[in-house]
Amino acid sequence: MSGAGANRMGPGGWTTLILAGVYFVVPLAMTAAFSLWEGGSTYGFEAYRLLLASADLPDALLLSMELALATVAALLLLLVPAMIFMNLYAPGLRPLFEFIATLPFVVPAIALVAGLTALFTGPEWLIGTPFYLVIPYFFLALPFAYRSLDVGLRAIDLTTLTEAGQSLGAGMGQIIRMVILPSLRAALVGSTLLTLAVVMGEFTFANVLLFRTFAVYMNQMGQHEATAAAALAVVSFLITWAAMLGVLIAGRGQTSIPGGH
Amino acid sequence: MKAPVAWLFIGAFLAVCATFLVAPTAMLAIQAVTGEDGFTLAYIETLGQYRYRVAFEHSLYLSLASATAGVVAGGLVAFAVLKPGAPAWLRSLVTSFSAVAANFAGVPLAFAFISTLGTLGLLTMLLKRIGLDLYDMGFSLFSITGLTLTYSYFQIPLMVIIITPAIAALRPSWREAAEILGATPGQYWRHVGLPVLAPSLIAAWILLFGNAFSAYATAYALTSGNIGLVTTEISAVLSGNVAADPQIGAALSVGMIVVMVTVLAISTAMTRRASRWTARS
């Protein structure tokens, strides 16, 4: 094998990619085709019409969207300022923050929900409302939001930027608003969209805690109506695709993406 | 704005994490060893019962198999598209599709595979028409094999995303140096490429393992609990579908956490060992 041969995509590379392509495209194509099946040899959009006509879908979809937005708000209000201030004033707390960001990986969602139900049996205003889910969703999003913000914060020299701002007479609030947050834009948009995608499809917590979110509704619907289930899978693939497209576009502003480009 | 405000924000974040993440986890550990008359190991011992032992075996096997499939297939795909000769459109197609597919999990993924390879799935029917009856041949989507096949759908693209930066960081000059010294591609990979990639490969495998081990929605929607996994057993206890004490759910959860901590510890130790090699270069 010559040096040039190692750089070109040889038959091995193409075979790998074609096999992977078949594995990834076939289920999508089959699901899309199946969602259009109306029995016998008739095809049409009946399954999608059925979904739109369903009285419960808007409620479930709306609830999931509200939960997704609330989770994003919680991340922006609780995690982002804490990380900025930790980097500025208390870098000694970094190991603790790292530990907390690893915990949701070590404690699987189903274990956390078991712990939450064991520990909190009240008050009703907290555990009785679907917005109780924002708490576990916050931790679901924490590891990747932390990682992406950490990369963003390391890429800028926080202390120098702050000192420069202060010597120019800016207050801390101004510095955060006008210097730090704009330079974290890609990390913020990226983790926001990823959080939206994750919460929209989250099933574990909602199912165990008995709240009818989009994924729970999808599961109930799909157990009776096979073609509706396929249609829901297609719709949810499109939602994920739209969210990821947003992440990719947001990431384009970032200059230091390793690889690619 | 002065430091006190900063401490307020840091304190609020830490308080929320302590209350809703650390305390519930600690509660699980306490609950797992607390019976009616105080401390007991009875619930931990029930994990040895056939039902729960099988659940752990299934979960471990599924995680091992799908993480390994993901690392191998995802690694090969990333390697193929990162070759300098690969067309740019192909690279961006694979990158963006991976981002979508890695997040396309849970209930919709289960439905997609049921529509394709379920007993009445489209592909199953098509293959039957040409005389290939998968279910007669012993295949079932609702088995560990079927679950592994389904899990790979999010494991492979996740691997592509994680490993791409590491493969892209392999310097062409190392390869050229090896070639000039007369090394075959096999020797280059055995002595240079793989040792350099080892820490990233181990870390990626661990992430994929954890991803599969804690997955619940896909398995639940696919098997309706017919195949016991640790996650579905915990949910059965929590939702009262089986007559079991809540302590058994806590004991199972603690068991999961122990597995995750062990795997993470092994990974940290191995990564440290493996990266000693690169630190010197």
Side-chain angles (χ1 to χ4, degrees):
Chain A
M1 202 186 279
S2 70
N7 280 338
R8 233 177 295 125
M9 292 238 317
W14 283 112
T15 315
T16 309
L17 287 178
I18 288 168
L19 284 178
V22 168
Y23 171 70
F24 282 100
V25 171
V26 164
L28 287 179
M30 295 283 167
T31 308
F34 193 67
S35 74
L36 297 173
W37 186 55
E38 289 178 359
S41 57
T42 45
Y43 288 85
F45 289 94
E46 187 55 33
Y48 293 89
R49 267 197 294 277
L50 205 77
L51 282 187
L52 285 178
S54 142
D56 296 334
L57 177 65
D59 287 345
L61 202 56
L62 193 67
L63 176 61
S64 279
M65 282 178 188
E66 285 170 353
L67 289 173
L69 291 177
T71 309
V72 168
L75 282 171
L76 293 180
L77 292 174
L78 217 51
L79 178 67
V80 175
M83 280 188 72
I84 293 175
F85 288 129
M86 178 271 282
N87 273 287
L88 272 176
Y89 297 114
L93 287 179
R94 175 178 286 277
L96 181 62
F97 273 61
E98 293 275 341
F99 171 74
I100 291 173
T102 322
L103 261 189
F105 178 73
V106 176
V107 184
I110 194 76
L112 180 59
V113 77
L116 284 170
T117 35
L119 191 58
F120 298 104
T121 47
E124 190 54 33
W125 60 262
L126 177 68
I127 65 164
T129 144
F131 284 93
Y132 181 43
L133 287 172
V134 174
I135 293 172
Y137 289 177
F138 176 77
F139 296 116
L140 208 59
L142 184 64
F144 63 80
Y146 177 87
R147 202 51 56 208
S148 117
L149 284 167
D150 190 49
V151 170
L153 282 168
R154 275 168 196 265
I156 57 175
D157 191 343
L158 209 55
T159 319
T160 313
L161 279 180
T162 312
E163 280 165 6
Q166 276 165 344
S167 66
L168 290 170
M172 202 55 217
Q174 267 179 307
I175 294 174
I176 290 180
R177 213 172 48 246
M178 298 171 71
V179 180
I180 301 180
L181 288 183
S183 48
L184 287 179
R185 194 189 59 104
L188 289 171
V189 176
S191 29
T192 297
L193 288 166
L194 214 50
T195 306
L196 290 179
V198 167
V199 173
M200 287 304 292
E202 203 287 327
F203 179 73
T204 310
F205 290 107
N207 191 47
V208 174
L209 296 173
L210 303 173
F211 293 113
R212 253 170 94 85
T213 60
F214 181 52
V216 174
Y217 164 82
M218 197 154 47
N219 184 50
Q220 285 171 353
M221 183 87 178
Q223 301 299 347
H224 321 293
E225 293 279 341
T227 54
L232 279 165
V234 171
V235 170
S236 122
F237 183 84
L238 292 177
I239 293 178
T240 317
W241 184 76
M244 290 309 124
L245 201 67
V247 175
L248 284 178
I249 292 171
R252 216 161 275 167
Q254 231 171 8
T255 43
S256 59
I257 296 174
H261 313 292
Chain B
M1 207 184 285
K2 288 265 153 45
V5 184
W7 283 106
L8 195 71
F9 275 106
I10 295 177
F13 171 72
L14 293 179
V16 167
C17 291
T19 315
F20 295 109
L21 181 62
V22 180
T25 310
M27 183 65 193
L28 285 175
I30 297 168
Q31 197 186 27
V33 292
T34 309
E36 277 173 18
D37 315 309
F39 181 81
T40 171
L41 283 178
Y43 297 108
I44 301 285
E45 276 159 18
T46 55
L47 295 190
Q49 281 175 10
Y50 178 74
R51 180 190 177 117
Y52 299 121
R53 214 177 54 229
V54 166
F56 268 100
E57 278 166 12
H58 281 164
S59 278
L60 286 173
Y61 178 80
L62 175 60
S63 312
L64 285 170
S66 72
T68 308
V71 165
V72 173
L76 288 175
V77 168
F79 176 67
V81 295
L82 281 172
K83 287 197 172 177
W89 62 265
L90 190 68
R91 205 172 294 167
S92 52
L93 178 76
V94 170
T95 318
S96 42
F97 184 83
S98 297
V100 180
N103 286 289
F104 183 63
V107 181
L109 177 68
F111 286 166
F113 269 82
I114 292 172
S115 311
T116 309
L117 278 169
T119 31
L120 294 173
L122 219 48
L123 187 61
T124 315
M125 292 318 223
L126 285 176
L127 289 176
K128 205 179 221 169
R129 208 169 289 170
I130 59 165
L132 208 65
D133 194 329
L134 289 178
Y135 280 77
D136 255 9
M137 292 160 66
F139 172 84
S140 167
L141 183 62
F142 316 102
S143 65
I144 290 290
T145 317
L147 277 172
T148 308
L149 191 69
T150 313
Y151 277 31
S152 300
Y153 203 86
F154 57 78
Q155 298 279 59
I156 295 173
L158 184 61
M159 177 65 185
V160 172
I161 296 171
I162 308 170
I163 208 68
T164 294
I167 295 184
L170 283 179
R171 293 197 206 129
S173 57
W174 294 341
R175 178 172 210 128
E176 286 155 15
E179 271 169 23
I180 289 167
L181 293 170
T184 63
Q187 282 174 318
Y188 163 76
W189 279 109
R190 206 166 52 246
H191 298 295
V192 183
L194 284 178
V196 172
L197 281 182
S200 315
L201 288 174
I202 297 166
W205 191 87
I206 295 303
L207 197 73
L208 263 57
F209 179 93
N211 200 28
F213 193 66
S214 50
Y216 162 72
T218 315
Y220 181 89
L222 204 54
T223 68
S224 317
N226 288 331
I227 301 216
L229 295 176
V230 186
T231 48
T232 52
E233 289 294 345
I234 296 175
S235 99
V237 173
L238 287 176
S239 50
N241 285 348
V242 289
D245 297 317
Q247 284 93 331
I248 292 179
L252 284 166
S253 304
V254 170
M256 280 194 91
I257 296 172
V258 168
V259 171
M260 290 305 298
V261 170
T262 313
V263 166
L264 202 65
I266 296 174
S267 138
T268 316
M270 281 173 72
T271 322
R272 203 165 287 159
R273 247 187 98 135
S275 56
R276 229 185 284 155
W277 192 93
T278 43
R280 255 184 272 140
S281 69

